[in-house]
Amino acid sequence: QKEVEQNSGPLSVPEGAIASLNCTYSDRGSQSFFWYRQYSGKSPELIMFIYSNGDKEDGRFTAQLNKASQYVSLLIRDSQPSDSATYLCAALNSGGSNYKLTFGKGTLLTVNP
Amino acid sequence: DTGVSQDPRHKITKRGQNVTFRCDPISEHNRLYWYRQTLGQGPEFLTYFQNEAQLEKSRLLSDRFSAERPKGSFSTLEIQRTEQGDSAMYLCASSPFTEAFFGQGTRLTVV
């Protein structure tokens, strides 16, 4: 079973702090990784993706990938109450003609004012 | 609106009835995914199309589920003889290459 694992949380941080969300994956054939934000009752919204080892920054968000450790993380700087949501990690195995996207269960983040 | 569109947004049906959902992907996105999501869980993969070809279907699905994507445009997901366990949010996503973008989902309630 090829899986994506996330700590379900909840993760609680004060406003202005850095929130750190982590994800591990078991399929070494996974090539691209995605972070989605999902508000309660809404559909997932793509925040950013990463496919190279190292860091990728987009505004207050930084994604980190370590393929050797099969580890992906998302850092949210200067956390705001509006960041309170479930964050989903997803891995894409694009081997051959199959582009299967597998999700973790998500981590619930609460940012306290 | 040029995003992924799903219809209906909500569906309540009696157990044993058949239901069909529709997904209109973003124009020119050749990949289309269907997922199911229940409360507190991540999206669970159901099936995947590249253009009109259904390339993978989850082994978790029973034969009651079927999906089509005629002409590689919109897609339909049908559930036959619905059961209470089918109650969930059904999500469609389309992708031009790697990133996938979700529609607003169809919430199914089986009573």
Side-chain angles (χ1 to χ4, degrees), chain B residues 38-81:
Chain B
T38 54
L39 191 63
Q41 301 296 314
E44 176 188 20
F45 174 81
L46 294 179
T47 192
Y48 156 73
F49 290 86
Q50 178 147 339
N51 299 312
E52 67 276 9
Q54 186 175 19
L55 296 186
E56 186 163 346
K57 182 176 177 180
S58 170
R59 291 188 295 272
L60 298 174
L61 286 187
S62 70
D63 291 340
R64 296 185 298 107
F65 287 73
S66 63
E68 295 182 340
R69 191 184 183 195
K71 302 180 182 179
S73 56
F74 71 92
S75 177
T76 58
L77 176 69
E78 180 182 19
I79 309 173
Q80 296 181 327
R81 305 181 302 282

Side-chain angles (χ1 to χ4, degrees), chain A residues 36 38 43 97-99 101, chain B residues 31 33 35 37 55-56 100 103:
Chain A
Y36 287 80
Q38 186 172 29
S43 63
S97 61
N98 191 350
Y99 281 68
L101 186 62
Chain B
R31 298 193 178 93
Y33 300 87
Y35 289 85
Q37 187 176 28
L55 296 186
E56 186 163 346

